[in-house]
Every structure is written in C-alpha cells, then in structure tokens.
Amino acid sequence: MIVMDLKQAIVVRTDLGMGKGKIAAQASHASVEVLGKADSKVVEEWKQQGMKKIVLKVGDKRELLELFQKMKKIFPAALIKDAGLTQIAPGEPTCIAVGPAEEIELDKFLGDLKLL
Amino acid sequence: MIVMDLKQAIVVRTDLGMGKGKIAAQASHASVEVLGKADSKVVEEWKQQGMKKIVLKVGDKRELLELFQKMKKIFPAALIKDAGLTQIAPGEPTCIAVGPAEEIELDKFLGDLKLL
C-alpha cells in the first residue's frame, strides 16, 4: 500500500466581515461535515497522519460556489450555510471543506488560493 | 426519550497572536478530535440538531490547561497542541474542544467565558 499525504482544505469567504470566532465555528462545522462524505478509511488515515489542514480564502459568494461545484465532482466536499442566528443572513454560504484527500491532488485545484 | 439541546464548545487562547486562519485550523482540529472521545449516539444527535457550536476565549496557557483538566472529568474533551510548522512553537497548547454535551450543563462551566 502506498501511503499518501492527506490534507483537508477549508475555504472561507472574506466578504462577510465574519469575526475570528465566527470563522472558527463555520470552519469547524465544515471540517466535521465533510467527514461524513469521505471514505472512512481515508478519514482514519488522515487522523493518523495528524489531520493536516489548510485554511484558504475567497473574496465572494460566486467564487465560493463555483469552487464548491468544481470540487464536489472530484473530492468529498461540504458547503456550509449559516444558520443566521448571529451576524449573517440565514442560509448565506460561508465556507466549504474539501477532503481529506491526497495533498498533491488538492493542491492542483487549490494551490492558487491565498491562506486566510 | 428526552431530547437535550446539545452543544460543542471550543475555547481558544488569545495570547498566542494566532491569525484568523490559524485559529480556524486549530479550532477545526479540536472540533473533530473530541468527537472520537464522545458517545457516538450523542454525536449523531448533535449532528441532527445542526452541530451547534460556540467559540470562546481564554487569556493564557494556564487558564486553558486548568479548564481542560476540569472539563475532561465531566465531558468529552480534547486539548490541541500545535504541530509547530507555522507561527507557534511545537507542542504549544492552542485550544480545547468540549462536547457535544447538554447545553445547560456546558453553560454551567463555561458560561462566564467571553466569545472569541
């Protein structure tokens, strides 16, 4: 068995003016949600490897949704919409999580995005 | 069966000068890690309820570690230490996650902490 370097990517919108705590909550939501869509063996291996994770940013809703549409065809992916209890309108997409997936493959699609 | 309101709390140190992306990554790490310590039925129920989550802050390492010691006796709890690849010294504790657990019970212990 060839062991791959696995990574999860979280991509957050910067145009919503979310504070640090709000971003942390939305990102955590995404990080957990996507695990239900991933292969459980890959998830286990990713946990064993220390749950490598990267947090990236996009500037608006269109960018986020386009990225999500593209990613979900290839990788396990989850789109998070805000419950609207605080700060943001209900149903507003805030972030996505992609993977765990092979780091080299993820980077092909996400390598141009900037770190949050 | 009485359905409880379930919540997960994430508590982050503010004295490390972590940026938004770093905080999001550490919080996500904590949020996933603690699920392995929780009862799987409670985790499922929490997911069904929409994964309610709160992100709080403490001012230093001592506060975080004391809180962790207290919490882990009562609730599922995970302490996250940084891998030290970026920004922070390796092994430095950055945050904890507690629960999912009954919201009323969590609030008894964490209700005095401020939102991040």
Side-chain angles (χ1 to χ4, degrees), chain B residues 71-89:
Chain B
M71 292 294 97
K72 76 175 188 181
K73 291 179 187 143
I74 311 167
F75 305 108
L79 172 68
I80 301 305
K81 294 178 182 180
D82 194 63
L85 304 174
T86 53
Q87 295 186 26
I88 300 173

mmCIF file of all heavy atoms in Angstrom, chain B residues 71-89:
data_model
loop_
_atom_site.group_PDB
_atom_site.id
_atom_site.type_symbol
_atom_site.label_atom_id
_atom_site.label_comp_id
_atom_site.label_asym_id
_atom_site.label_seq_id
_atom_site.Cartn_x
_atom_site.Cartn_y
_atom_site.Cartn_z
ATOM 1 N N MET B 71 -12.731 20.170 32.739
ATOM 2 C CA MET B 71 -13.735 19.718 31.767
ATOM 3 C C MET B 71 -13.637 18.226 31.478
ATOM 4 O O MET B 71 -14.642 17.547 31.340
ATOM 5 C CB MET B 71 -13.588 20.485 30.444
ATOM 6 C CG MET B 71 -13.944 21.943 30.500
ATOM 7 S SD MET B 71 -15.706 22.239 30.834
ATOM 8 C CE MET B 71 -15.629 22.519 32.593
ATOM 9 N N LYS B 72 -12.416 17.726 31.356
ATOM 10 C CA LYS B 72 -12.276 16.331 30.910
ATOM 11 C C LYS B 72 -12.755 15.319 31.947
ATOM 12 O O LYS B 72 -12.964 14.158 31.627
ATOM 13 C CB LYS B 72 -10.838 16.035 30.458
ATOM 14 C CG LYS B 72 -9.835 15.866 31.550
ATOM 15 C CD LYS B 72 -8.484 15.463 30.946
ATOM 16 C CE LYS B 72 -7.508 15.105 32.044
ATOM 17 N NZ LYS B 72 -6.186 14.739 31.530
ATOM 18 N N LYS B 73 -12.925 15.790 33.183
ATOM 19 C CA LYS B 73 -13.502 14.904 34.200
ATOM 20 C C LYS B 73 -15.012 14.735 34.016
ATOM 21 O O LYS B 73 -15.608 13.806 34.537
ATOM 22 C CB LYS B 73 -13.238 15.459 35.601
ATOM 23 C CG LYS B 73 -11.768 15.384 35.981
ATOM 24 C CD LYS B 73 -11.526 15.952 37.366
ATOM 25 C CE LYS B 73 -10.042 16.008 37.631
ATOM 26 N NZ LYS B 73 -9.642 17.190 38.400
ATOM 27 N N ILE B 74 -15.615 15.663 33.301
ATOM 28 C CA ILE B 74 -17.081 15.711 33.214
ATOM 29 C C ILE B 74 -17.601 15.439 31.807
ATOM 30 O O ILE B 74 -18.619 14.800 31.621
ATOM 31 C CB ILE B 74 -17.587 17.104 33.671
ATOM 32 C CG1 ILE B 74 -16.952 17.479 35.001
ATOM 33 C CG2 ILE B 74 -19.112 17.129 33.761
ATOM 34 C CD1 ILE B 74 -17.110 18.916 35.389
ATOM 35 N N PHE B 75 -16.887 15.966 30.820
ATOM 36 C CA PHE B 75 -17.349 15.909 29.433
ATOM 37 C C PHE B 75 -16.263 15.294 28.543
ATOM 38 O O PHE B 75 -15.087 15.288 28.916
ATOM 39 C CB PHE B 75 -17.616 17.339 28.918
ATOM 40 C CG PHE B 75 -18.568 18.136 29.742
ATOM 41 C CD1 PHE B 75 -18.118 19.183 30.535
ATOM 42 C CD2 PHE B 75 -19.929 17.859 29.716
ATOM 43 C CE1 PHE B 75 -18.997 19.942 31.294
ATOM 44 C CE2 PHE B 75 -20.817 18.612 30.469
ATOM 45 C CZ PHE B 75 -20.346 19.659 31.263
ATOM 46 N N PRO B 76 -16.663 14.857 27.330
ATOM 47 C CA PRO B 76 -15.610 14.543 26.360
ATOM 48 C C PRO B 76 -14.858 15.840 26.046
ATOM 49 O O PRO B 76 -15.484 16.879 25.825
ATOM 50 C CB PRO B 76 -16.384 14.035 25.132
ATOM 51 C CG PRO B 76 -17.802 14.452 25.323
ATOM 52 C CD PRO B 76 -18.016 14.630 26.794
ATOM 53 N N ALA B 77 -13.534 15.772 26.082
ATOM 54 C CA ALA B 77 -12.752 16.995 25.876
ATOM 55 C C ALA B 77 -11.437 16.650 25.189
ATOM 56 O O ALA B 77 -10.856 15.588 25.420
ATOM 57 C CB ALA B 77 -12.477 17.661 27.226
ATOM 58 N N ALA B 78 -10.986 17.541 24.325
ATOM 59 C CA ALA B 78 -9.711 17.347 23.627
ATOM 60 C C ALA B 78 -8.874 18.605 23.716
ATOM 61 O O ALA B 78 -9.384 19.717 23.548
ATOM 62 C CB ALA B 78 -9.962 16.992 22.157
ATOM 63 N N LEU B 79 -7.592 18.414 23.998
ATOM 64 C CA LEU B 79 -6.640 19.525 24.040
ATOM 65 C C LEU B 79 -5.794 19.453 22.775
ATOM 66 O O LEU B 79 -5.244 18.405 22.453
ATOM 67 C CB LEU B 79 -5.745 19.358 25.267
ATOM 68 C CG LEU B 79 -4.550 20.297 25.406
ATOM 69 C CD1 LEU B 79 -5.008 21.731 25.670
ATOM 70 C CD2 LEU B 79 -3.619 19.833 26.534
ATOM 71 N N ILE B 80 -5.700 20.558 22.079
ATOM 72 C CA ILE B 80 -4.925 20.582 20.843
ATOM 73 C C ILE B 80 -3.592 21.295 21.065
ATOM 74 O O ILE B 80 -3.547 22.397 21.609
ATOM 75 C CB ILE B 80 -5.715 21.291 19.716
ATOM 76 C CG1 ILE B 80 -7.036 20.564 19.461
ATOM 77 C CG2 ILE B 80 -4.873 21.373 18.436
ATOM 78 C CD1 ILE B 80 -6.894 19.075 19.154
ATOM 79 N N LYS B 81 -2.527 20.613 20.640
ATOM 80 C CA LYS B 81 -1.200 21.228 20.709
ATOM 81 C C LYS B 81 -0.716 21.461 19.292
ATOM 82 O O LYS B 81 -0.884 20.601 18.423
ATOM 83 C CB LYS B 81 -0.233 20.300 21.444
ATOM 84 C CG LYS B 81 -0.626 20.131 22.908
ATOM 85 C CD LYS B 81 0.301 19.177 23.631
ATOM 86 C CE LYS B 81 -0.162 19.010 25.084
ATOM 87 N NZ LYS B 81 0.702 18.098 25.831
ATOM 88 N N ASP B 82 -0.124 22.581 19.062
ATOM 89 C CA ASP B 82 0.283 22.926 17.706
ATOM 90 C C ASP B 82 1.431 22.054 17.224
ATOM 91 O O ASP B 82 2.358 21.747 17.980
ATOM 92 C CB ASP B 82 0.693 24.387 17.649
ATOM 93 C CG ASP B 82 0.791 24.862 16.218
ATOM 94 O OD1 ASP B 82 -0.241 24.850 15.531
ATOM 95 O OD2 ASP B 82 1.905 25.205 15.767
ATOM 96 N N ALA B 83 1.373 21.683 15.954
ATOM 97 C CA ALA B 83 2.442 20.889 15.362
ATOM 98 C C ALA B 83 3.705 21.730 15.160
ATOM 99 O O ALA B 83 4.787 21.197 14.922
ATOM 100 C CB ALA B 83 1.983 20.310 14.030
ATOM 101 N N GLY B 84 3.556 23.026 15.283
ATOM 102 C CA GLY B 84 4.729 23.893 15.246
ATOM 103 C C GLY B 84 5.302 24.136 13.863
ATOM 104 O O GLY B 84 6.421 24.602 13.721
ATOM 105 N N LEU B 85 4.516 23.830 12.832
ATOM 106 C CA LEU B 85 5.019 24.043 11.471
ATOM 107 C C LEU B 85 5.001 25.523 11.092
ATOM 108 O O LEU B 85 5.761 25.966 10.253
ATOM 109 C CB LEU B 85 4.197 23.233 10.460
ATOM 110 C CG LEU B 85 4.145 21.727 10.755
ATOM 111 C CD1 LEU B 85 3.209 21.017 9.809
ATOM 112 C CD2 LEU B 85 5.550 21.127 10.661
ATOM 113 N N THR B 86 4.087 26.252 11.694
ATOM 114 C CA THR B 86 3.946 27.676 11.374
ATOM 115 C C THR B 86 3.628 28.463 12.638
ATOM 116 O O THR B 86 2.951 27.960 13.519
ATOM 117 C CB THR B 86 2.767 27.909 10.400
ATOM 118 O OG1 THR B 86 1.603 27.296 10.956
ATOM 119 C CG2 THR B 86 3.056 27.339 9.032
ATOM 120 N N GLN B 87 4.114 29.643 12.703
ATOM 121 C CA GLN B 87 3.710 30.659 13.700
ATOM 122 C C GLN B 87 4.059 30.364 15.166
ATOM 123 O O GLN B 87 4.460 31.243 15.890
ATOM 124 C CB GLN B 87 2.196 30.952 13.635
ATOM 125 C CG GLN B 87 1.735 31.604 12.332
ATOM 126 C CD GLN B 87 0.241 32.018 12.359
ATOM 127 O OE1 GLN B 87 -0.314 32.264 13.413
ATOM 128 N NE2 GLN B 87 -0.368 32.104 11.190
ATOM 129 N N ILE B 88 3.866 29.106 15.619
ATOM 130 C CA ILE B 88 3.903 28.811 17.056
ATOM 131 C C ILE B 88 4.898 27.696 17.361
ATOM 132 O O ILE B 88 5.123 26.823 16.539
ATOM 133 C CB ILE B 88 2.501 28.378 17.522
ATOM 134 C CG1 ILE B 88 1.503 29.521 17.261
ATOM 135 C CG2 ILE B 88 2.484 28.033 18.997
ATOM 136 C CD1 ILE B 88 0.093 29.106 17.527
ATOM 137 N N ALA B 89 5.417 27.688 18.583
ATOM 138 C CA ALA B 89 6.354 26.634 18.997
ATOM 139 C C ALA B 89 5.671 25.275 19.001
ATOM 140 O O ALA B 89 4.510 25.167 19.378
ATOM 141 C CB ALA B 89 6.886 26.945 20.398
#
